[in-house]
Amino acid sequence: MMHRPAGEPPRNVGPLRPVRPHPADALDDTLSDGRPPESGTVDPAVLTALLHRHGWRRRGGAPGRYGRWTPPGPAAGATSLLVPASRAFPDSDDLLAEALLALSRSGTPAAREILLSLAVPSDEIRWERDIPAGPGDSASWTAEERLRSAARRMLLAGALATRARAGYYGARHRRAAGAALESVLVGPAPGGRLLTAFLPVGTVRPLVVRLHQALYAAREAVDYRRATGGMEAFDAAVAAGVSHELAESLVALVRGSEGARIAVGWAPAAGVPEGCGALAEPVEFTPGDLPALREAAARYLRAEPSVPVRITGTVVRMRRPGPRGTGTVRLRVLAGAEVPHVRVALDEEGYRIAGHAHLVGLPVRVLGRLESRGGFRRLTGACEITPVQVDDAERDRLLKAVQEHVEVAAFLEETCGDGGDCGD
């Protein structure tokens, strides 16, 4: 942690960059004001499909004109919606407005999820865990945390599979995959048994498609392993997006439960993506699948090969046991690999070059192999390390960033001392 020295004036900080509003925030504002979504933006067919998906039932109505829908559970007798079949009739807008108003005033989780899907056309992924019920049909705190954690890990595995196909990703592509999840919305998860994620079609549909295919491939590979004892299906499933990360997320989801299901529902407003079924059945995993999933996760971890790379990065840490000899440097990766940082073991000459480049604010370029052991965070066989020339503005920026880093300050103190020679 860095502290400003006593008496130093605070640095001038420019105005904060405006943050793009999240779609869920806009929906919260609308509902808190008591205003439902605008009926002119809602397709009656889309609303009907969403009502059906979330368990509402059609209880009659004039065929071809409108349907009367009631919610599931105890609220079925207290609420009903008249939803027009299309906009072909004069009262269609009025019926839609009344239906949306009734949904906005409903306190059920399903009503909010329907409104969210209308506000942001989204594919839905629903996780369901079978766990023992506690007092009042509740679930433990840890059960709810486990559900959320497993769901996030699964989404991250799907996002990684859209970047590349690999049995094990480690630290690779994590930054881009994490950024892809920023637009994902999450519905309420009462009881720790059910969780729904809404993934906007315009930004993350490829993630949903890849995860949908990977889950079916994982299910088939587990069935093959349990039937034949062979792991060949898991090797082939990598092409569909199955990985160490996905297998681990499934283990986390199923462990401690009596079974778990993952269902994908395509956004009615966008239609079904090419190559996917319109009525996909939930993919189910049980505790009996855990040995195969754990074996697959370990197999992917062992089998993923190291990767030859030429990395460009800035030195952020240097360490060696004495004033001379080999040492280790840590690079913040700028180009050449989809990882944020790597550690590199260098001989004495390479360490000296890295130290000089660091002191003058230049990045270095180095050739080596990115090792899978440790999560692709280590470069072995490093050679051909050279400083990279950059323009003055970029050099000043890099040098300032390095000088403000507390670890670099420690390096300068240890290496140079008071008036010492930094040219070793």
Side-chain angles (χ1 to χ4, degrees), residues 16 38 48 56 104 200 206 213 219 231 250 288 356 365 423:
L16 295 177
E38 294 293 336
T48 298
W56 290 59
S104 67
Q213 296 169 344
R219 178 67 265 172
M231 295 293 291
L250 287 169
H356 283 173
R365 182 176 292 122

Side-chain angles (χ1 to χ4, degrees), residues 2 94 118 196 231 295 386:
M2 298 183 66
D94 292 337
L118 291 172
T196 304
M231 295 293 291
E295 185 179 357
T386 56

Side-chain angles (χ1 to χ4, degrees), residues 13-108:
V13 179
L16 295 177
R17 179 175 58 86
V19 178
R20 177 175 58 86
H22 201 284
D25 296 336
L27 181 63
D28 286 335
D29 293 341
T30 297
L31 296 184
S32 63
D33 292 342
R35 295 181 291 104
E38 294 293 336
S39 60
T41 64
V42 175
D43 184 344
V46 171
L47 177 56
T48 298
L50 291 172
L51 290 170
H52 178 73
R53 174 181 297 174
H54 289 272
W56 290 59
R57 294 187 177 182
R58 193 175 189 275
R59 301 290 187 179
R65 287 185 59 90
Y66 65 85
R68 181 178 296 278
W69 293 80
T70 59
T79 305
S80 67
L81 306 179
L82 286 179
V83 180
S86 69
R87 292 186 177 276
F89 305 99
D91 59 348
S92 297
D93 282 341
D94 292 337
L95 291 177
L96 275 174
E98 293 172 3
L100 295 172
L101 180 61
L103 280 174
S104 67
R105 293 177 175 176
S106 173
T108 63

Side-chain angles (χ1 to χ4, degrees), residues 18 34 40 46 73 82 104 140 155 158 211-212 224 227 229 238 258-259 262 265 281 294 317 374 385 396 408 410 421:
V46 171
L82 286 179
S104 67
S140 68
L155 289 177
L211 183 58
H212 172 74
Y224 183 86
V238 171
E258 298 173 1
I262 309 101
E281 291 294 326
R294 291 192 177 104
R317 180 184 295 176
I385 181 169
D396 290 344
V408 173
D421 181 11

Side-chain angles (χ1 to χ4, degrees), residues 257-276:
S257 74
E258 298 173 1
R261 288 168 294 281
I262 309 101
V264 174
W266 306 112
V272 180
E274 184 178 356
C276 298

Side-chain angles (χ1 to χ4, degrees), residues 217-229:
R219 178 67 265 172
E220 292 174 0
V222 169
D223 291 340
Y224 183 86
R225 171 67 179 87
R226 297 185 68 175
T228 68

Side-chain angles (χ1 to χ4, degrees), residues 53 121-125 197-201 204-205 208 264-267 271:
R53 174 181 297 174
S122 305
D123 298 319
E124 298 179 21
I125 301 180
F198 299 85
L199 295 93
V201 172
V204 286
R205 169 158 275 194
V208 186
V264 174
W266 306 112

